[in-house]
Amino acid sequence: MERNLSVNGREYNFATTYDGDSQYNVQVRSGNKVVTMFKISAESESEVFDAAIAHFSADIEMGNVNG
């Protein structure tokens, strides 16, 4: 699944794939550049993007990712 989502006023593309056991691989891109990749736990597909945005926003705030 893919969605374009705004985080801190910037547009990012979030692509997710199911990895099993409620784990999803998430790839975040800005244009053609991959900004970060991580795994996220979610009970259902409907929760994946909310959890991914929270994770990505926290990474930006902590300085782990240059958004």
Side-chain angles (χ1 to χ4, degrees):
M1 297 185 310
E2 285 190 41
R3 285 195 190 159
N4 291 324
L5 302 166
S6 180
V7 178
N8 295 339
R10 293 187 62 190
E11 191 78 16
Y12 295 95
N13 177 270
F14 286 75
T16 65
T17 56
Y18 186 65
D19 195 23
D21 296 328
S22 299
Q23 292 286 312
Y24 291 82
N25 294 311
V26 179
Q27 183 183 71
V28 182
R29 294 187 312 265
S30 177
N32 291 331
K33 179 185 172 196
V34 175
V35 177
T36 189
M37 294 173 64
F38 53 87
K39 287 189 179 225
I40 198 92
S41 179
E43 293 295 320
S44 66
E45 287 182 359
S46 62
E47 297 176 1
V48 172
F49 291 105
D50 289 337
I53 286 174
H55 181 101
F56 183 59
S57 294
D59 275 351
I60 290 173
E61 286 182 30
M62 290 188 294
N64 295 336
V65 173
N66 291 329

